[in-house]
Amino acid sequence: MIIAREFSYREIRNCIDENPDLFEGLDILTVKRALDWLPGHMSVFNRFMEEAVKAKAAGYQRYSARAIWHYLRHLHQIDESTRHIKLTNIVTPVIARIAMEFDPSLKGFFSTRTGGGQT
C-alpha cells in the first residue's frame, strides 16, 4: 500500500512562487482558472498525487495525467456524496506540472504540451 502525504494549498502557492516558469507554455487564463479551482479541491489534488505515485510504483515510466483525471471523475460521479464536485479538464495540465514538481520520482512522468488550452 502506498501512503501519499497530503499537501496544502499553501505548499502549492510556495511551489509556484519558487518556480515562476512552472506553467510556461500554458495559457494564462487556463492557469488562473485552475489555481482558482484548486483551494476548494485539495482532496482531489491529493488523490491525484496518490494515484500518480501508484502508477509510478506499478512500473510505468510515463503515464497519462488525463487517465488519472478521468478515473477520479468516475469515482466522484458514482459516489452520491461527491457527485457535486466538478472535475474540469482545464485543471489537468496545471495539476500534472505541480505533481511533477512536488515529487521528484514523478519528474517527466507526464507529457506536457505547450500552447494547449488557449482561449
Side-chain angles (χ1 to χ4, degrees), residues 24-119:
E24 187 174 330
L26 286 180
D27 179 64
I28 294 169
L29 187 54
T30 297
V31 174
K32 182 187 178 331
R33 287 178 180 164
L35 295 178
D36 287 348
W37 178 90
L38 199 51
H41 299 90
M42 285 303 297
S43 63
V44 177
F45 173 80
N46 283 304
R47 183 64 190 268
F48 180 92
M49 289 294 294
E50 180 182 337
E51 295 303 325
V53 170
K54 283 181 187 177
K56 182 70 175 183
Y60 289 95
Q61 297 304 305
R62 307 274 294 167
Y63 203 75
S64 169
R66 289 259 189 232
I68 294 172
W69 200 249
H70 288 301
Y71 172 67
L72 296 178
R73 178 179 287 142
H74 164 75
L75 293 177
H76 281 83
Q77 287 176 340
I78 63 170
D79 183 342
E80 273 192 47
S81 68
T82 59
R83 192 173 290 165
H84 65 284
I85 298 173
K86 302 298 179 206
L87 275 69
T88 176
N89 287 340
I90 202 166
V91 176
T92 313
V94 172
I95 297 292
R97 284 169 172 80
I98 294 169
M100 290 188 295
E101 192 63 37
F102 272 177
D103 188 330
S105 75
L106 297 177
K107 290 278 188 217
F109 193 56
F110 303 116
S111 294
T112 56
R113 297 180 188 158
T114 58
Q118 299 281 337
T119 56

Side-chain angles (χ1 to χ4, degrees), residues 1-16:
M1 173 188 276
I2 295 172
I3 300 173
R5 82 174 194 76
E6 296 223 354
F7 294 95
S8 70
Y9 185 69
R10 172 60 25 219
E11 288 175 291
I12 289 174
R13 289 305 317 177
N14 289 342
C15 176
I16 293 167

